Amino acid sequence: MPVLTDARLVELRVWWLASAAKRAAKHHPEESKEAQIAVRRFSRPVYPVFLPCKRRASKQQRVDAPANRQPESSLGLVPNISSAYSTPSRSRNPAPAARSGNKMESRRKVRNQSKVNHDTKLWSLLSAFRLLRFGVWDRLSFSSFPFVGFYTRHDVWTTLITNADYLSGLLTLDYSLKRVGSKYPLLALYTDTFPAEGHAALDARRIPKRHIPYLLPSAHKDYSNDTRFYDCWSKLTPFSLVDYDRVVQLDSDMLVLRNMDELMDIELDDPALGGTGPRVFAASHACVCNPLHKPHYPKDWNSSNCAFTSQHSHPDKAQRQGAPPTAGLSIPNGGLQVVNPSMGVYDRILECLRNPRATSNYDFADQSLLADLFPGRWVAIPYTYNALKTLRWKGVHEAIWRDDEIKNIHYILSPKPWDETWRGDAANDEKAASRSVDETHAWWWKITEERYAEERRLGIPKDRF
């Protein structure tokens, strides 16, 4: 059985869109005039073009095909997909008539037929774009797609970038994902404040990007003690990216050490539930120990109320399973969020941002909002997917930390690894590593040095990032 190529799968999908558009026009006569016009453009029978290819016939066989044969689609027949995979028998002795005739005339017929097939395929692809343009896409559902096995999910990693301060982190994050062999791209979500030099750095490394609005609550919330929280509201944007099936939001100050593509397969609520189900999103817990003893943090942020403290007696289990979402103060960390984008959920988030009574109490921006809006209705994943560097510190949660189990380390708080003044291979230079305020910063620099070497090999212009 021949293997279907990507181009052939595209043709099958386009044919299905054409058929579904016709059904939408038939069963929804109230459709807008523009959509009906788009649907009528699919009246031309195109199905034979989309059948999986049989073995290509010889030129002589194509010339000898009956000229008055009607295509199956014009007869209203339901195509038999399995028969399309069969290989036609090849005759060693074609009929005498096949060997006669004008040779130049035969070539002309073959050339004209090839042009017709090419034009038909081109028209079919353009028709798919017309579906999007005229809004017929909203009528179509891939759940009824007859070729279920051919549907490809669209999953993506995303990260927010608002200025050049975190750009070094983003570039190393992207490199670390590729380094561990992730199947999914990293999409940079940038705001209007992102500078031109940042765009140039992303473009040079072919990192895809997408503009998003800068989210803020309607009533001003003072974060002068932690100005980073002003940007954190925009990390809620992935809930609105409905052109993707699964989005995993990562902070730009993260470093992926092991493949974690399995996050794309975590079971979450269907987007149609609009945030009313028990598994709205997935994240790991926030550490509420306040190891730096910041005075402006809430009084209940202490180790006795931390969800990770409840796992100290079962460190092996902590590597595979997160504490229940209701453990501790029940606050997720916003650094890594696994979501099935849903406009229903996003509308609830926007409504909450317009409520000053609620946002005035959100000391930790996005993660406070999610904890308040979906209490206990999220999936808690192990700390290894969002390993806050402070968990490793003595007296915090070293009881559960395992260096060899970490999949993704999160460099929370300041300074960041790229803020340190020294440069060098910390993995082989103990003196250089000792200058770091945190031993895990050496891990970041080791992979960043690998990135620099790879960029030099690829001829990417050297920059300060």
Side-chain angles (χ1 to χ4, degrees):
M1 179 181 293
V3 177
L4 289 177
T5 64
D6 290 342
R8 186 61 56 186
L9 294 181
V10 169
E11 291 177 348
L12 284 169
R13 292 189 187 115
V14 173
W15 167 80
W16 176 79
L17 290 173
S19 302
K22 292 179 183 178
R23 291 195 299 271
K26 178 179 179 181
H27 298 293
H28 300 278
E30 74 282 0
E31 189 65 58
S32 65
K33 181 178 179 181
E34 292 82 1
Q36 291 183 26
I37 293 174
V39 169
R40 283 199 295 271
R41 292 179 180 178
F42 286 94
S43 59
R44 177 178 176 180
V46 295
Y47 186 81
V49 179
F50 304 126
L51 282 174
C53 287
K54 300 180 181 180
R55 180 178 296 178
R56 183 177 177 84
S58 66
K59 288 184 178 180
Q60 195 63 52
Q61 286 174 323
R62 293 199 297 275
V63 171
D64 296 335
N68 59 351
R69 181 178 178 181
Q70 288 182 291
E72 290 180 346
S73 59
S74 64
L75 298 175
L77 301 178
V78 177
N80 186 347
I81 295 298
S82 61
S83 65
Y85 290 104
S86 61
T87 303
S89 60
R90 303 180 67 181
S91 174
R92 294 179 179 272
N93 298 306
R99 294 192 294 266
S100 62
N102 187 290
K103 190 173 183 180
M104 294 300 294
E105 181 68 15
S106 299
R107 290 181 177 176
R108 184 183 64 79
K109 290 182 179 179
V110 171
R111 185 167 57 252
N112 291 343
Q113 184 61 38
S114 298
K115 185 177 185 302
V116 170
N117 290 340
H118 177 270
D119 292 345
T120 305
K121 291 183 179 182
L122 180 61
W123 173 89
S124 304
L125 293 175
L126 291 175
S127 299
F129 289 104
R130 293 191 186 107
L131 275 175
L132 296 173
R133 178 182 176 187
F134 290 101
V136 183
W137 186 273
D138 296 336
R139 288 286 185 192
L140 310 179
S141 171
F142 276 105
S143 61
S144 59
F145 189 27
F147 310 106
V148 177
F150 300 158
Y151 175 57
T152 303
R153 284 173 52 94
H154 293 83
D155 304 333
V156 70
W157 309 101
T158 61
T159 189
L160 174 69
I161 188 74
T162 61
N163 54 61
D165 293 343
Y166 275 66
L167 187 54
S168 295
L170 187 155
L171 299 181
T172 296
L173 171 63
D174 176 73
Y175 176 79
S176 68
L177 282 168
K178 296 172 181 175
R179 180 176 177 269
V180 299
S182 176
K183 297 184 297 184
Y184 308 100
L186 176 68
L187 176 66
L189 305 177
Y190 70 92
T191 60
D192 291 333
T193 56
F194 191 53
E197 60 180 353
H199 285 282
L202 295 181
D203 295 341
R205 294 160 179 84
R206 297 184 179 180
I207 298 176
K209 57 186 179 179
R210 178 169 178 167
H211 178 266
I212 62 169
Y214 191 82
L215 292 182
L216 282 174
S218 58
H220 176 71
K221 170 70 175 175
D222 182 24
Y223 289 118
S224 55
N225 290 318
D226 270 309
T227 56
R228 59 193 171 97
F229 285 127
Y230 289 119
D231 289 346
C232 286
W233 298 107
S234 297
K235 292 196 294 184
L236 297 168
T237 300
F239 285 96
S240 70
L241 304 181
V242 293
D243 44 338
Y244 293 99
D245 297 289
R246 172 64 55 88
V247 174
V248 180
Q249 168 74 15
L250 304 173
D251 273 1
S252 294
D253 56 351
M254 287 181 164
L255 180 71
V256 179
L257 301 175
R258 298 169 60 192
N259 189 294
M260 54 181 189
D261 284 358
E262 63 271 15
L263 291 178
M264 300 295 181
D265 300 320
I266 292 179
E267 182 183 354
L268 296 178
D269 291 338
D270 189 285
L273 293 178
T276 60
R279 303 171 70 91
V280 180
F281 64 94
S284 63
H285 280 277
C287 176
V288 300
C289 292
N290 190 16
L292 296 181
H293 306 290
K294 293 189 175 185
H296 62 278
Y297 274 29
K299 298 299 182 183
D300 58 354
W301 273 55
N302 54 64
S303 58
S304 62
N305 289 328
C306 188
F308 294 122
T309 303
S310 66
Q311 295 187 298
H312 283 193
S313 57
H314 300 91
D316 293 335
K317 184 179 179 181
Q319 315 305 315
R320 303 286 178 264
Q321 184 177 330
T326 54
L329 296 182
S330 307
I331 300 177
N333 182 276
L336 186 150
Q337 302 169 20
V338 185
V339 306
N340 285 344
S342 165
M343 288 310 299
V345 174
Y346 190 62
D347 288 342
R348 295 184 64 178
I349 291 173
L350 294 181
E351 182 180 356
C352 190
L353 288 176
R354 292 190 290 265
N355 183 0
R357 278 189 178 181
T359 56
S360 62
N361 297 319
Y362 293 161
D363 294 327
F364 298 93
D366 59 319
Q367 54 194 38
S368 295
L369 182 149
L370 292 175
D372 181 49
L373 200 56
F374 309 108
R377 294 190 291 114
W378 51 280
V379 180
I381 59 178
Y383 82 96
T384 55
Y385 291 102
N386 185 4
L388 313 178
K389 72 176 184 181
T390 55
L391 302 187
R392 193 176 186 267
W393 293 359
K394 186 176 181 180
V396 185
H397 297 297
E398 77 276 15
I400 64 173
W401 184 282
R402 301 286 186 275
D403 283 356
D404 57 348
E405 294 286 350
I406 304 304
K407 293 197 170 189
N408 176 40
I409 186 169
H410 188 180
Y411 293 103
I412 61 171
L413 306 178
S414 295
K416 305 299 183 184
W418 55 88
D419 291 332
E420 297 177 337
T421 57
W422 60 270
R423 296 290 186 272
D425 186 357
N428 300 320
D429 186 350
E430 294 183 0
K431 291 184 178 180
S434 65
R435 300 174 202 165
S436 174
V437 297
D438 192 292
E439 185 180 353
T440 61
H441 287 196
W443 304 354
W444 187 90
W445 272 109
K446 178 182 178 181
I447 293 180
T448 298
E449 291 294 339
E450 289 182 16
R451 173 172 71 85
Y452 289 159
E454 181 66 12
E455 290 175 355
R456 285 193 297 269
R457 187 185 70 82
L458 296 175
I460 296 176
K462 185 177 181 180
D463 52 39
R464 66 184 183 89
F465 306 112

